[in-house]
Each structure stands twice: as structure tokens, then as C-alpha cells.
Amino acid sequence: MNIQLEDFCSKRTAILTSTLELVKEHGFHGTPMSQIAKTANVAAGTIYHYFDSKETLMVELYMYTKHRLGKAMLAGDDESRPYKERFFQYMTNQYNFYIENESSLFFLEQYINSPFAKNYPEKDSDIFKTDIIPFFDFGLENGYFKKIDPRLMWPIIRGTLVAAAHFRISQHVMYSEEDISQLVKMIWDAIKNNNTTP
Amino acid sequence: MNIQLEDFCSKRTAILTSTLELVKEHGFHGTPMSQIAKTANVAAGTIYHYFDSKETLMVELYMYTKHRLGKAMLAGDDESRPYKERFFQYMTNQYNFYIENESSLFFLEQYINSPFAKNYPEKDSDIFKTDIIPFFDFGLENGYFKKIDPRLMWPIIRGTLVAAAHFRISQHVMYSEEDISQLVKMIWDAIKNNNTTP
DNA sequence: TGCTACCGAATGAACATTCAATTAGAAGAT
DNA sequence: ATCTTCTAATTGAATGTTCATTCGGTAGCA
């Protein structure tokens, strides 16, 4: 059977999405396997057909979620457009993904701050490795950004967007297109290179 | 007995600090009360003398930690200095607190993304309510910052600093004073008002 | 006939919390 | 100083529950 991210195995996907929702509400250890099974309309034993343990379920859910985030970020990308425009598109997409997928946002934040992230540092989505990280590297190499540690760039951008999305969700505030582009502009202002003209 | 934040009740404090370390390593539900007791050199029952339940222990640990963060941020503050200088001081202090108190950083992140934060939204440190939030409000009212929702300002700043601190910790990278001030400058560039001269 | 997907009751470990009993310490009386 | 009394602090074994995981079995399908 196909145990890939893009799978049509409905039970496996049901388990993943149920876990996502439940972890958002109750946290990792706060969600029992029995409840995951119930919510996914699946027997408890079935979970262990697809995942070795609760721990690997969480790790695979992380990769699944990160993969979906990556795909969402790349939506509507066009390599022929100017770098800055593509950057804005990426950021807007990321922000929209967070507010349209609250549970993914909460899950990712929890995961990153959990022992799992430390225990499985190599586990990550391919899309990030092959597309998104290189896009930022390109921006750095070509002088679009300040000369800071490239590995610091991504967390900072992410930190800002996540903070904004969290706030937007918790306060039930609706941001207009305008507000979002102002937010992205803030990020751009923060990291753009002021010295040379790229 | 004095159940305040600044207490000399050593057992209570021992329980709090032990919980902080353990939650960093194993997460909320991943740390049993029995282990907290053992690490704090205290009997299991003693925890229930100071805290009603595991849940309230976590909430009170949040307030304790947030209080310490607040105090650290205000260190060396001088109201007579220019606003921008005070801002830089606050940010540098906050960043340094995170890297000097890893477990507090991890705990705060976990807490914010947990159901607790939603269930006890009113629980927060007084220092933030009386000193830190007003400081940012002042900056907004006096045109130092872009005109964005003031409640959005704090999460964005926090998001950036937290991201940088996380990175610094996970990669075992040492930032120089220089690097930190560049980081804070990035934040300042992002949120400062470009239109008028304050 | 064999293989995979799936089920769900059973198992045993781990857990949060309780409580009856013990100690420490303070305040008051002698 | 010493004894008395009262309260708060502390203990850790016992309790009842919840949980992750297992496993013997069923159903469909090649």
C-alpha cells in the first residue's frame, strides 16, 4: 500500500486529520489514541496498522502538515516574475494557510516546541528542502536581503507571520487584503538589504 | 503563608522550577506529577498542598515565568532616555532572558499554544499590564511606530525574538552583541513609522 | 489459500489525586 | 526556660482511572 503524503488511503488520512484537530484542542499527550480512533471512525487497532506508535504518528503528521504548508506557499508561483513579487506571494500564501488551517498552525507550533522536533531533527517535508529554502538562499546570494545568517531568516519570517495569524485567530479580527500586504511589507522592510541596489 | 510570586517558600519554588525543566524536556502531559515531586525533592502529596491540580500548577507556573520575563525586560530602564534607546534595551533584555532561560522560553511557547492559554485568558503577569504593554502603547500614540493594531505589535516583536532565540539555542550559535543589535534593528526597521518624524 | 485491511475487547502499566498519619513550628501559659 | 496546644506543612502508600499497545480473529480479495 502507498504510504506517501499524497495518498488516497482514506483511513490513514482520516487518522491524520482527526489527530490534527484533537491535538489542537487538547495537546499531544492530552489526546488519547482511543479518541483519535473514535473521531476517525476507525478501530483503535487500525491506527497501529498505519503507524508504529503514537510517537511516529505525531512525526508523520508533522511531515504531512509541513508538506501541505509547502504546497500552499508555492501556489500561483511564477518563476518569471520579479523576486520581490514572488516573495510577497509566498508570504501571503503562508499567512492565508495559517488562518485557513488553524489546527495546522497550532499543531506545528506545538510540534516545534516539543521533544519530537529534537528527537527527529532530520524529519521534514521535501518541498521545503527542494523549493522553499533554496528560494530564500537565492534571495540572500543575490543581495535582496540583509547579510544575516540564512538559517535565521526563515525562523524570523515565520515567527512574524505565526504571531500575526495567532493574534488574528484569537481576537477574531478580520484583516483585509490591505492589512496582510502591510504585514508582509513589514517583513520585507525588516530583512531587505538597504545598502546596495539589487 | 505567602503565596506570592516573590516568595521565599522554598518548596513551592522548587516545585515550580522543577516543573519548568521537566516540561521543557517532556511537555505538559509528558511530565508526571510523581516525577515533578522527585525532582523537587518533595512528596507527591506536597504538590497538592500548594496547587489545586496539575492544571493550576501549569497556570501558576505561567504567571511566575511571565513575571520573571517582565522584570528582566525592565532591567536598566531609565525613563529619561530617548524612546528608541529604551526600546532597544527592552528588546535586548528580552532576547537575553530567552537564551539565558531556555526552559522558560520553551515553556512559554508551549503554554501559549496549549488549551490552558485559551481556558485562562485573564491570567497574566501584572508587570506586563502595568509597564510593558503601556510602553508600546505610548510608542504608538506618539507616532514612533507604523499605525497597525497595537495588539499586533507585541506578538510580532515576540515572534521575531523567539524565533531568533530558538535558532540560536538549537544551532548552538553564539551571537555577538553586534548580531543582537542588528536583530533588534531589524525589528525596529519593520515597525518604525516611515511617514512622519516623531 | 494466502494476504492485507480492519476490528475491538483485553492487558498491564502509568498516572493524578486522596487521605490518614506524622512532624515542625509558633504562640501562649506557667 | 519548659510544657501545652493548635495549626500548617509534609509524607507516601493506596485508589481508581485512563491510557497505549497487543492480539486473536473476521472479512474481502486475488
Side-chain angles (χ1 to χ4, degrees), chain B residues 25 49 53-54 64 73 81 83 106 110 125 138 160 163:
Chain B
E25 296 295 332
H49 180 72
S53 66
K54 192 176 181 179
Y64 172 81
M73 283 180 70
R81 283 162 63 210
Y83 189 83
F106 280 78
Q110 282 200 54
S125 153
F138 179 88
T160 307

Side-chain angles (χ1 to χ4, degrees), chain B residues 1 11 43 45-46 49-50:
Chain B
M1 206 225 24
K11 299 244 161 165
T46 306
H49 180 72
Y50 293 101

Side-chain angles (χ1 to χ4, degrees), chain A:
Chain A
M1 207 223 22
N2 182 16
I3 310 234
Q4 291 315 117
L5 291 165
E6 298 290 332
D7 59 349
F8 295 91
C9 177
S10 64
K11 298 244 162 168
R12 199 185 116 98
T13 310
I15 292 166
L16 286 172
T17 55
S18 298
T19 307
L20 196 62
E21 291 300 322
L22 289 167
V23 167
K24 178 200 161 189
E25 296 295 334
H26 308 110
F28 280 128
H29 300 269
T31 62
M33 295 297 257
S34 56
Q35 208 181 346
I36 294 172
K38 203 177 293 174
T39 311
N41 288 315
V42 145
T46 305
I47 300 177
Y48 290 87
H49 179 72
Y50 293 101
F51 307 95
D52 287 345
S53 66
K54 192 176 181 179
E55 183 150 332
T56 66
L57 166 58
M58 293 302 170
V59 176
E60 296 200 31
L61 178 55
Y62 171 71
M63 294 210 287
Y64 172 80
T65 306
K66 203 78 186 289
H67 177 82
R68 294 205 314 131
L69 168 62
K71 279 220 310 181
M73 284 180 69
L74 295 174
D77 188 31
D78 175 0
E79 295 195 16
S80 67
R81 284 160 65 210
Y83 189 83
K84 185 178 170 181
E85 273 182 36
R86 293 178 69 200
F87 178 87
F88 272 63
Q89 176 88 71
Y90 276 35
M91 294 302 103
T92 309
N93 284 346
Q94 187 182 1
Y95 178 82
N96 285 328
F97 178 83
Y98 289 144
I99 59 177
E100 285 161 19
N101 300 273
E102 283 188 39
S103 47
S104 297
L105 170 60
F106 280 78
F107 173 79
L108 286 174
E109 289 302 290
Q110 283 200 53
Y111 185 92
I112 286 171
N113 298 302
S114 78
F116 299 123
K118 279 180 260 302
N119 294 342
Y120 304 90
E122 78 290 357
K123 296 281 183 183
D124 207 342
S125 152
D126 285 339
I127 287 192
F128 272 78
K129 291 178 190 161
T130 62
D131 292 79
I132 293 170
I133 306 289
F135 177 80
F136 287 104
D137 289 344
F138 178 87
L140 268 154
E141 283 157 17
N142 292 75
Y144 289 101
F145 301 139
K146 287 191 172 84
K147 280 196 184 57
I148 59 170
D149 190 321
R151 294 167 306 173
L152 187 53
M153 190 72 80
W154 170 244
I156 283 177
I157 291 165
R158 210 187 109 76
T160 307
L161 285 178
V162 164
H166 261 304
F167 177 74
R168 143 83 169 75
I169 287 166
S170 68
Q171 304 289 323
H172 306 284
V173 177
M174 259 308 199
Y175 291 140
S176 60
E177 294 274 323
E178 203 71 22
D179 289 331
I180 296 163
S181 84
Q182 191 189 18
L183 178 68
V184 177
K185 190 171 178 329
M186 276 174 58
I187 296 173
W188 180 260
D189 284 348
I191 64 178
K192 75 153 182 260
N193 190 347
N194 294 312
N195 301 327
T196 63
T197 359

